[in-house]
Amino acid sequence: MNFAFLRNSLRIRLLAGTLVWIVISILVAGWGLGQLFHQHVEAQFDAELKNHLNQLTAQLILDEQNLAQVRLPPSDPRLNKPLSGLYWQIDRIPAADEQPIKAVLRSRSLWDETLTVPADTPADGEIHQHRIEGPQGVALRVVERTVTIDTHSLRLMVAANESLMTEPIEDFKGHLWMALGILGMGLTLAALMQVFVGLAPLRSMQNALGRVRHGDARNMEGTFPNEIMPLVNEFNTVLAQNAEVVERARTQAGNLAHALKTPLSVLANAANAPEKRDDDLARLVASQVDTVRKQVDYHLSRAQAAASVQVPGIRTAVEPVIRGLVRVMQRVHADRQLEFVVLPDQANLAFRGEEQDLQEMLGNVIDNASKWARSRIEIQVSDESGKLRVRIDDDGKGIAETECDHVLKRGVRADEQVPGTGLGLAITADLARMYGGDLVLAKSSLGGLQVSLILPAV
């Protein structure tokens, strides 16, 4: 089990805290209510016994022979039913030189049994309570009182089975815990609903962030609670500022390019003047100017791409870019009458990045294929395991497998007779890697070179 996930999950923490509190509350409530009911039933039980004892005391008299008599026994019908569980008994307390006489009077419910209580000496009229063993070994709860009439002392006692008290208590506790269990399940369901409903805006926020990440939106869109809306607004502000920084970086990169290209052009023109062609210094300057131009183009392209990679929520459809580049290449290489074939692709494929960067990468690759192809160029786009793969095949002469890595280096050209700077594939490879993709060279089924551009898909 992933305990780190459980510890770091807000949902689990809320549920755990709520459920622990529910369990503790139910346990405390169940114990407390059970104790209160127990005390109440016990008090009622003792009060009933004392009431019977008071009735028995009130009806107690001595006849002419000084024998104890009960004018009117307690009226509870259980006292007339044998071994019913409710009993009364009167013992005679002997004088110093007499033997005690047990059960001088007793209820019919005792049948032929007698009650034996501890030999204590309560004051006259004082009530004592005992727990004794009664008929059939049943536990009894007894209240007793000593009454003195003239010189005769009598012990009056009323007893009842403890089960008459404990059974209602146990029955109540069973129903109580069942009710509390149902209440606990209801509270648990309520807690689950509260957590899932309460955290639903966070899931909506996650979905909104996912749309930004996949390029379906530039900002977090949707309706969120007042507690979350400030966070959403701050995030959208950061996105807007980030986009502004990227645009400023692009502008500065363009300004730098223009600022450098003008003096470089002046130096190149001066070095290539007819009267300077045989001058070693002029040739050196021209060579260095060409190198500087390549470096400027390369690093400006990297700077612009690196800035755009940092912007989330960018989405560029691939097919329109390819169709546009093919039209441009057909015009640029119109004299060669090249055939550009865009093979059927999967619909709605999109690149997670700037359109300008996609044009830069595909433009370099398609232009390179156009320079080397004899007559045919094939372009196919596919989705492979969540990655976008653009495959460009030409029917040119191709290159050896050992040269594939070499031609991706800056300024390296496969053939110095073909116009170019040797930066196209190098820039494309760097741009692709900045986006988490790659550029792969292989032999084409058409006989020439196959260039596979692998990019993140939306």
Side-chain angles (χ1 to χ4, degrees), residues 100-116:
I101 302 175
K102 293 183 61 177
V104 294
L105 291 173
R106 58 185 172 181
S107 65
R108 292 186 62 187
S109 58
L110 273 174
W111 200 243
D112 56 354
E113 299 283 345
T114 58
L115 303 177
T116 302

Side-chain angles (χ1 to χ4, degrees), residues 263-265 267-269 271 284-294:
L264 288 175
S265 297
L267 288 174
N269 291 337
L284 177 61
V285 170
S287 173
Q288 294 304 311
V289 166
D290 183 58
T291 301
V292 171
R293 276 179 173 171
K294 293 179 180 179

Side-chain angles (χ1 to χ4, degrees), residues 3 6 12 16 31 57 82 98 125 145 189 223 225 230 241 275 295 330 356 359 381 385 424 443:
F3 292 100
L6 298 179
I12 296 299
W31 177 84
T57 304
E98 296 178 347
R145 171 187 286 155
L189 290 176
T223 302
Q241 291 176 346
E275 63 274 13
Q295 295 291 335
Q330 286 174 335
Q356 179 179 340
Q359 289 177 341
V381 185
S385 302
K443 183 174 180 58

Side-chain angles (χ1 to χ4, degrees), residues 23-211:
V23 170
I24 292 175
S25 300
I26 287 179
L27 290 176
V28 172
W31 177 84
L33 291 174
Q35 289 299 313
L36 288 174
F37 186 76
H38 183 98
Q39 293 173 6
H40 172 73
V41 171
E42 187 176 33
Q44 289 291 104
F45 192 79
D46 290 340
E48 183 181 3
L49 291 180
K50 290 175 183 178
N51 182 49
H52 288 310
L53 182 63
N54 290 333
Q55 290 180 15
L56 187 64
T57 304
Q59 299 298 325
L60 180 64
I61 60 173
L62 292 178
D63 61 12
E64 292 79 0
Q65 289 80 27
N66 290 325
L67 298 176
Q69 298 292 329
V70 176
R71 289 179 299 182
L72 186 64
S75 59
D76 194 311
R78 292 176 294 177
L79 293 170
N80 295 318
K81 181 180 179 181
L83 305 177
S84 64
L86 181 63
Y87 316 105
W88 66 263
Q89 178 177 300
I90 299 176
D91 293 348
R92 183 168 182 174
I93 302 176
D97 56 348
E98 296 178 347
Q99 294 294 323
I101 302 175
K102 293 183 61 177
V104 294
L105 291 173
R106 58 185 172 181
S107 65
R108 292 186 62 187
S109 58
L110 273 174
W111 200 243
D112 56 354
E113 299 283 345
T114 58
L115 303 177
T116 302
V117 296
D120 56 353
T121 56
D124 190 51
E126 182 181 4
I127 296 178
H128 280 193
Q129 291 183 341
H130 302 284
R131 187 175 185 276
I132 65 174
E133 183 178 319
Q136 299 177 332
V138 177
L140 300 180
R141 194 177 183 90
V142 181
V143 292
E144 65 159 336
R145 171 187 286 155
T146 298
V147 176
T148 301
I149 302 177
D150 294 335
T151 59
H152 299 280
S153 295
L154 301 171
R155 175 178 288 182
L156 289 71
M157 61 191 74
V158 177
N161 287 358
E162 281 192 341
S163 62
L164 298 175
M165 175 184 68
T166 57
E167 286 178 0
I169 292 175
E170 295 301 322
D171 185 63
F172 171 80
K173 287 183 177 181
H175 287 85
L176 173 65
W177 285 114
M178 182 182 298
L180 290 176
I182 295 174
L183 175 63
M185 289 188 290
L187 291 175
T188 300
L189 290 176
L192 289 171
M193 291 181 61
Q194 183 178 14
V195 169
F196 281 96
V197 173
L199 296 181
L202 294 182
R203 291 194 293 274
S204 300
M205 187 176 176
Q206 180 184 8
N207 294 332
L209 282 172
R211 289 193 295 271

Side-chain angles (χ1 to χ4, degrees), residues 15 17 34 39 136-137 141 150 173 207 248 260 263 273 327 332 343 393 402 425:
L15 282 176
Q39 293 173 6
Q136 299 177 332
R141 194 177 183 90
D150 294 335
K173 287 183 177 181
N207 294 332
R248 192 181 303 121
L260 290 175
R327 288 193 294 271
V332 171
L343 299 174
D393 292 88
T402 55
L425 293 181

